[in-house]
Amino acid sequence: MSDVAASPNRRRGIVSLTLMAGIMLVGLHIAIGLLTLVWLPYEPNAFTGGRLEGASLAHWVGTDRLGRDLFTQLMIGSRIALTVGLGAVAIGATIGVSIGILAAFASRWLDDALAATLDILIAFPTLLIAMLVVAASDTASLGSAIVALGIALSAIVARLTRILAKRVLVMDYITAARTSGSSWPKIVAIHVLPNIWPTLSVNFALQFGLAVIAEASLSYLGLGAPPPNASWGRMLQEAQGTVYTAPLGAIAPGIALVSLAIGVNLLADGLRARIDAARTLS
Amino acid sequence: MTLISVDRVSFGYTAERRILDDVSFAMESGDTVGLVGESGSGKTTLLRLLLGLARPDSGTITFDGASLDPRNAAFMRQFRRQAQIVFQDPYSSLDPRQKISSIIAEPLRSLRIPGDHRQMVADALSSVGLDADAAGRYPHQFSGGQRQRIAIARAIVAGPRLLLADEAVSALDLTTKIRIVELLASLGTRMSLLFVSHDIGVVAALCRRIVILERSRIVESGDTAEVLARPQHPYTQRLLASVPRLSLKDTRS
Ligand SMILES: Nc1ncnc2c1ncn2[C@@H]1O[C@H](COP(=O)(O)OP(=O)(O)O)[C@@H](O)[C@H]1O
Ligand SMILES: [Mg+2]
């Protein structure tokens, strides 16, 4: 009896540990990103020290080839990564959820066609699609990177939304809503979206992590935001030639990138565990 | 007065297979009718047609003398106030993300029924034997039987003339089943009740008239007592023979 009663509590404890770690890591990046809007240790493009200096009190993770402060660039990198992640997920979610809901309501052949198209799109790597979209726009900018990643993510969101919405639409409470006189748009707004939201939100967190890594990859390949936007991906690329003489230049943005990606994944895991726990309760 | 009249209705989800074949029956206003048939015989499909959720391939359905046409929005708005349904599975019929108050008030809001909705929800809850404080809780906080009461409250809150119950007690344990049947019986004095079941015993206890559906066709209909005493169609005879005598007595007493 007693261990039956204790088990949900124990599980809730683990849940909140994962969630807490995720919130702390992501929260740290958010705090740094917001801080860069009002304060930075150095002017990001000013030559504030010697070239390729090591860590010191003045330059916590040293300087780059041109003597710019790396920590300042790391901090701006947090803001860029979060902006890209949020922007890409917002665009991917808007397009993806709309298409997914449409497919869930579509006639048989349109639904089949949409589902097949989505499967093909998903078979292409996210990064490849993003690169194609960036290549199609004239200039590489922060905006084009966000739009490119958003479009690349939307197929995954659409496929998930379609499946989740279909599962909800066969429920009796949807039929009850129809016989209660609720219109389809209203049914989507008050029944379908709230019921698929928990699972979708976990997926959005995972997509956010993917977008952050993909943005770093785009920047690494020179397809991301151009200077003066400091991106972890570009920092990695710039540090490549000097990785043996000044390893911090590559290690620091690597750690920043990995910590945000892990934080977001922990957050997603924590959210999922919470949702599962709520489900077993009901 | 005839409330529903189903006239030579045929329907199939696909062109290849007819689910309902030349079905006709009528229901008087204020009557309690049991629609009996094995699983898969087309009972739920018939209810979907009666609710205007699908259209017959051929034949007509009239409600209160007017043709039931799902494409006629003005008619449907009026109709939705008057006909409501309770489902079999109490776990799938309530939106888990909504409070009981909004679940029960949905017909009032969507059909723009004037009045104090909160009071109407409270009245509906008391009609089905639930406390008023249920309104603030969520479906997962209730048992199957209580959920079925909530579903019934939603069905009656707008004051319908016709209540359809699709296997509404089939998923419940025996004691709960008897309670819900009693509740439906008391509601049956205030409105017309079309009670769908594969359980002849429950129909015998609840319904004045009975309609027997066998694989997409109506094979027999009439006064419940008469049909049960002198079944004419071989299918009805077989159906009756397969009912354990004890359960028939149990539910009646
Ligand atoms: N949405 C649907 N699409 C295709 N076939 C269906 C659908 N719903 C029910 N059917 C089929 O119609 C037949 C009758 O189903 P139903 O009306 O649910 O029967 P009952 O309620 O008497 O068990 C069954 O064979 C079922 O497989
Ligand atoms: Mg059925």
Side-chain angles (χ1 to χ4, degrees), chain A residues 159-171:
Chain A
R159 182 167 70 173
L160 180 67
T161 304
R162 171 179 167 275
I163 295 168
L164 293 173
K166 285 195 152 206
R167 216 177 282 160
V168 170
L169 284 174
V170 298
M171 296 305 237

Side-chain angles (χ1 to χ4, degrees), chain A residues 172-173 179 182 191 194-195, chain B residues 80 84 92 95 97 106 110 140:
Chain A
D172 286 338
Y173 59 78
T179 66
S182 300
H191 296 296
N195 276 287
Chain B
R80 296 259 175 256
Q84 286 291 327
S92 145
D95 184 342
R97 314 267 315 161
E106 183 165 2
S110 289
H140 74 260

Side-chain angles (χ1 to χ4, degrees), chain B residues 43-44 88 166-167 196:
Chain B
K43 305 182 297 294
T44 299
Q88 168 169 11
D166 190 1
E167 310 265 13
V196 169

Side-chain angles (χ1 to χ4, degrees), chain B residues 13-14 17 19 37-46 166-167 213:
Chain B
Y13 291 99
T14 55
R17 200 168 141 238
I19 305 298
E38 282 171 329
S39 165
S41 54
K43 305 182 297 294
T44 299
T45 304
L46 181 54
D166 190 1
E167 310 265 13
L213 194 65

Side-chain angles (χ1 to χ4, degrees), chain A residues 170-183 186-187 190-192 194-195 197-198 281-282, chain B residues 48 51-53 80 83-85 87-89 92-98 106-107 109-111 140 154:
Chain A
V170 298
M171 296 305 237
D172 286 338
Y173 59 78
I174 299 296
T175 310
R178 287 180 67 194
T179 66
S180 297
S182 300
S183 62
K186 194 167 172 186
I187 288 174
I190 67 177
H191 296 296
V192 179
N195 276 287
W197 174 250
L281 266 181
S282 66
Chain B
R48 293 180 64 81
L51 286 165
L53 296 173
R80 296 259 175 256
Q84 286 291 327
I85 181 162
F87 301 96
Q88 168 169 11
D89 179 4
S92 145
S93 66
L94 308 179
D95 184 342
R97 314 267 315 161
Q98 292 212 306
E106 183 165 2
R109 278 185 274 113
S110 289
L111 297 167
H140 74 260
R154 168 179 58 198

Side-chain angles (χ1 to χ4, degrees), chain A:
Chain A
M1 190 68 210
S2 63
D3 51 5
V4 173
S7 68
N9 287 331
R10 205 179 306 146
R11 199 164 66 222
R12 207 169 299 155
I14 294 168
V15 164
S16 46
L17 214 73
T18 312
L19 200 58
M20 279 303 294
I23 289 172
M24 270 165 60
L25 276 175
V26 176
L28 180 69
H29 281 282
I30 291 176
I32 292 173
L34 289 175
L35 181 64
T36 61
L37 294 173
V38 292
W39 180 81
L40 284 168
Y42 292 96
E43 191 61 32
N45 293 309
F47 309 128
T48 54
R51 296 173 173 207
L52 298 174
E53 269 181 28
S56 67
L57 268 181
H59 301 285
W60 288 3
V61 287
T63 60
D64 69 3
R65 284 181 303 185
L66 300 172
R68 295 174 300 194
D69 182 48
L70 278 177
F71 193 73
T72 305
Q73 294 187 40
L74 275 186
M75 287 175 66
I76 296 175
S78 284
R79 186 179 77 211
I80 302 291
L82 291 169
T83 309
V84 171
L86 270 181
V89 168
I91 291 174
T94 310
I95 300 176
V97 170
S98 308
I99 293 178
I101 295 283
L102 203 72
F105 278 101
S107 63
R108 184 72 170 273
W109 74 264
L110 180 59
D111 179 37
D112 287 349
L114 279 172
T117 313
L118 291 176
D119 282 341
I120 292 169
L121 281 177
I122 290 164
F124 284 98
T126 308
L127 191 59
L128 192 63
I129 299 179
M131 284 168 66
L132 288 175
V133 177
V134 172
S137 63
D138 301 340
T139 54
S141 71
L142 194 59
S144 63
I146 291 174
V147 171
L149 290 170
I151 291 174
L153 296 181
S154 63
I156 303 171
V157 175
R159 182 167 70 173
L160 180 67
T161 304
R162 171 179 167 275
I163 295 168
L164 293 173
K166 285 195 152 206
R167 216 177 282 160
V168 170
L169 284 174
V170 298
M171 296 305 237
D172 286 338
Y173 59 78
I174 299 296
T175 310
R178 287 180 67 194
T179 66
S180 297
S182 300
S183 62
W184 281 120
K186 194 167 172 186
I187 288 174
V188 168
I190 67 177
H191 296 296
V192 179
L193 290 179
N195 276 287
I196 67 177
W197 174 250
T199 311
L200 272 187
S201 64
V202 171
N203 190 256
F204 290 164
L206 292 171
Q207 305 289 350
F208 186 100
L210 282 180
V212 167
I213 292 173
E215 187 275 334
S217 313
L218 280 181
S219 300
Y220 182 86
L221 296 171
L223 294 170
N229 298 294
S231 154
W232 295 331
R234 212 181 57 247
M235 291 174 74
L236 277 168
Q237 194 263 326
E238 284 175 359
Q240 206 174 18
T242 55
V243 74
Y244 293 110
T245 44
L248 258 186
I251 293 171
I255 289 177
L257 178 60
V258 168
S259 69
L260 181 56
I262 289 180
V264 165
N265 277 282
L266 287 175
L267 197 69
D269 266 358
L271 281 176
R272 180 166 37 213
R274 246 174 97 119
I275 291 162
D276 288 348
R279 216 166 262 161
T280 37
L281 266 181
S282 66

